Structure formats: structure tokens, C-alpha cells
Amino acid sequence: MILLNPKQPRRPYADARSAEVMRATIGFFESKGKDKLLADYYSRVWYADFLEFVKANRIFATMCTPAGEGAPDGRWDTWRICEFAEILGFYGLQYWYTWQVSVLGLGPIWMSGNKAVRQRTAQALEGGGIFAFGLSEKAHGADIYSTDMVLTPDDGGGWRANGRKYYIGNGNAAAIVSTFGRIDGTGDYVFFAADPRHERYHLIQNVVASQNYVSEFELRDYPVTPGDILHRGRDAWDAALNTVNIGKFTLGWASIGICTHALYEAITHASNRVLYKMHVTDFPHVRQNFVDAYCRLVAMKLFALRAADYMRVATVEDRRYLLYNPMVKMKVTTQGEEVMNLLWDTIAAKGFEKDMYFGQAAIDIRCLPKLEGTVHGNIALIVKFMPNFFFTPAEYPPVPTQSQAANDDFLFHQGGTKGLGQIQFHDYRKAFEGVNLANVTRFAGQAEIFRELLASDPPGPDQMKDVAFLLAGGEIFALVVYAQLILENAPIYQIPDDLLDQIFAFLVRDMSKFALQLYSQPSSTEKQMACCRRMIGKAVHDPERYDRVWREQVAPLSGAYEMPR
């Protein structure tokens, strides 16, 4: 089974320490128990016990220290980072969050040439330290063009920093806050290392009501020395965006973890509940919801795993990850919302109860698509790749599963962030070749019609400025990319044909939905509307296939995992 089950962790690793980290993390939460987990959640208790566990077991030191920077067992290994983020999400978004904002805070440091700060960072990780990413501001959000954090030169060759940051996770307890600003009078952007313990660092408030501390802080004449500078000028700008490429990738993995735990809980409840002298899972619509939720969740994981492979093989010449990465942030997280909606419709009021993990999952799953800008922001990014993706494919060597125990050096040397429109991709149509399944074939036909639309009547300048039109077209493009990577990973993870065809049944439905949305836009042309009408199709329903997926894949999840009390 591809889904995480803490009772039977089966993911292979190339080294013993990685497996030890995963087992220890699972063991911490299983020992904590569901009652204490939920009590802490609803009481908004700062997760000091988790951070003590991290410190005692050197978890972040192992997971967050690139090779050669300190910890002998440390490396930045996207393969194992994915499962670690999934495990944290499985038990609660709050635990994932303190990890994820630490990753963001570490990005500008590990990308920096400042050896002294890197050494301090490695030591802080060994001591159980967490980190923060001081980018966002209340007035501007993550609009880094408009930062109001200003460094003014002082008489000693350094600067005085003044300004506020807002929505900064871990800003209350970070060892270092990687802070973004600009140098007065020069136009230069800058990243510098700030110390929350300094008297001129003023912690103002936690801006959210949760276990997380999402801070607002202010620097008032905070002294910044040349030794505190991490990046300056264009390098600071690139470090901000390249850090997001690393850190926000785990949003999808948190969503996968949350949905997996919620699925176990929901199907176990529904299978054991009797209404009108029937088990709830015998109702056709309930069974359909569970099958659809399971298929969507498996698809999320297949895509995210494959995207991680491309992250790990990335080079200056191969930047395909810059399409797949925002897809994990946007598509996987919005699919997580779809999964939770389907599950909640099956367990109804039970999902509100305070002794269910489901209650916190239903709240927290909504956060993830919104923690990295918005869906339309990511759609606007990925459509830059659309012309080359469809019309100018390039040849690349095959990419096998990247499970090796290796440091992902390139992620901290990504280089400039320009030129997205010049990135090329391998031919997506090759993934469909030789897959003789009814819904895969039907989806491939829909994708080909969309390609025809782009070739015969591509979106004009005004349409590209129309957010609603862009969203509908971007969602169709995203589905093609999503389907491609799912197909690439299906044989690697030995996904049965029945399950794969059932996955493509929902992809066909989703493609039809977005084609109708594109057709309905006021600015759609007659040619575009004609293509959209042809794209609208019905998934091929095979009752025997559907029944096998239910009996062999979905129904056995009932009772497969329950968190100890």
C-alpha cells in the first residue's frame, strides 16, 4: 500500500539514520496519544514537548544540516524530507508548521557565503534550535518589491534596521530570523541574520489563535553588522524566491499526511456505523465518496513523489522542477481539500466531535493552499511554462526514483530566477504511450484537444490579463502535468490497472469541469468554445473495476490504523 500507516512504516531508506528518524518521530506521537494531541490543539499549547523531542533526538540537526556543514549524519535529502513532512502532517499541521518555517529560515543561510553564520546555524541545529523566515509584512504580504524593513547606514560601517514583519512563524523562539529588507539610498535588497533575543528585537504578538506562534515583530534601530549580512542586491531577491522553492514544496506533503489520517478515521467510523439496518459504507453514494477520496489521495502522493525526483536531479540545464514544484504547492493542496470534503460528506456531524482528529484536520487542510500566496498566483506562474511544455519538448535522459542517500547540493545553488519561459520539458505524450486503459485514453484525447486549442487560437493579451480565464485554462494545463507525472510513477510504485483507471476517471471528470468553466468565460472565442465543447466528456464507468477497487483497496482501510488514546 502506498499510503502511510504508522503501524507498518515500509518506506525503504539507504541508511539506518533516516529510518531511525522516522521511527522515532512516529513513536513520539504514538506515545503522546490522541487525547493529549487534541487537548493541546484545542488549548493552543506551545509544543514544547515536540521541540524537546527534536532536540534530544537531533532530528532537525540530521534533517536540516546540509552535508559538510556540521552534523556528520546531516544532509539535505528531499527524498526523506518528504516523508518527514508527511508524518508531521499526519499528526498535526502545527508540528509540520514549526518544521516548515524553520526550513524557510534556513534557506537564505545555507545559500549564503557567510561562513560564520552558517557555522552558528549548524551549532544551533545541534542544540535543537528552530528558525524563522522574516519576509512578509502586514501592509504588503509577501510583496518583496515593497518591503518597509529599511537598513540605514550608521557611523561604524554597519546599519540600523527599522521596520515590522508580520506572519513570521517561530518569530518568538527562533535561533536566527533570516530577515529581508532594503538598504536605504541604494535600492539594494538585503537578507540579514537577526537575533530574537536582542533588546532591539521587539516581539509584538501572535497573530493567529493556534498552537503555532505566527509572530509580528519590530526592529527598532536594530544594529546590523557586515557579519550579519547573508545576501545583498539581486542575490537577496533570488535567495527569497529560491528559498520558497525549497520550503513551500512540503505544503503538499503536509496535505497528504492530514488526508491520510482523516481517511483512516472516517472509513473506520463509517464501516462500523449502522443506519436503516445498513452499514454506512453500503450506501452507494458513501462508497463512491470513499473510492473517489482514496483515488485522489493516491494521485496526490504519486505526483508529489515524482515531483521530488525532478527536484533531486535538477541542474542549471534542467529546471523542470520549477513547474512541478508549484504544482505540489497548488494542485496537491487543493486536492487535499477535495479529499476532506468527500470524507466529511460521509461522516457528517461526527467530523465536528472534539475527540476526533478529523475536526482539526478539516480546519487545517484549508490553510495549505493559502500558505503560499493563492491558487491564482501559482496558476499565473505555471502558465509561463505552457507554450514550451506543449510545443517545444526537449530530450532528457530518463529519471529513475531518486531514493539515494545524497545531499541535494543544487537546491542551495539554484542561481538566478529569470528565464522561466525558456525552460523546456520532455514530451508529456510519451507517458501515455502503451497505457491501454479506457479513462487514460479518454483523458489523453481531452489533453490533445486542449493542445489543439492553444495551437489554433491561443489566449490573447487581454485574455492573459483576465484572471478568471487564466484560472480555468491554467487548471486544464495543471491537469495535464498532473496526469503525466502520475503515469510516470504508476509502474514504479506498481499501481494496479484498476486503481490507475479509476484515478483517471476523476481526472476525466475534472477536465470536463474546467473545460466548461473555460467555455463559459465572457472572453472565450468561438474557436476556443468549440474546442471546450469537444473536451467535455464522460468518464468510462466499469462496475466490476470499481467494485474491485472498493473491495481490494479501499474497504480494507477500515481498522487498518487508529491512533492510541
Side-chain angles (χ1 to χ4, degrees), residues 190-235:
V190 64
F191 254 118
F192 61 97
D195 182 356
R197 291 166 293 279
H198 195 281
E199 62 182 1
R200 295 190 180 277
Y201 179 106
H202 299 276
L203 188 64
I204 296 170
Q205 64 165 325
N206 186 357
V207 304
V208 300
S210 77
Q211 283 188 263
N212 301 312
Y213 201 107
V214 185
S215 68
E216 179 181 15
F217 70 83
E218 183 176 14
L219 301 185
R220 302 174 194 161
D221 285 333
Y222 180 97
V224 179
T225 70
D228 296 322
I229 300 297
L230 300 172
H231 302 273
R232 182 169 177 173
R234 180 71 199 191
D235 285 348

Side-chain angles (χ1 to χ4, degrees), residues 292-303:
D292 206 26
Y294 176 75
C295 288
R296 288 180 185 272
L297 180 52
V298 170
M300 289 161 62
K301 191 161 185 179
L302 286 171
F303 181 85

Side-chain angles (χ1 to χ4, degrees), residues 105 132-137 149 165 168 177-181 191 217:
F133 188 53
L135 187 73
S136 297
E137 298 174 11
M149 177 65 70
K165 292 294 181 179
I168 309 303
V177 181
S178 298
T179 307
F180 187 84
F191 254 118
F217 70 83

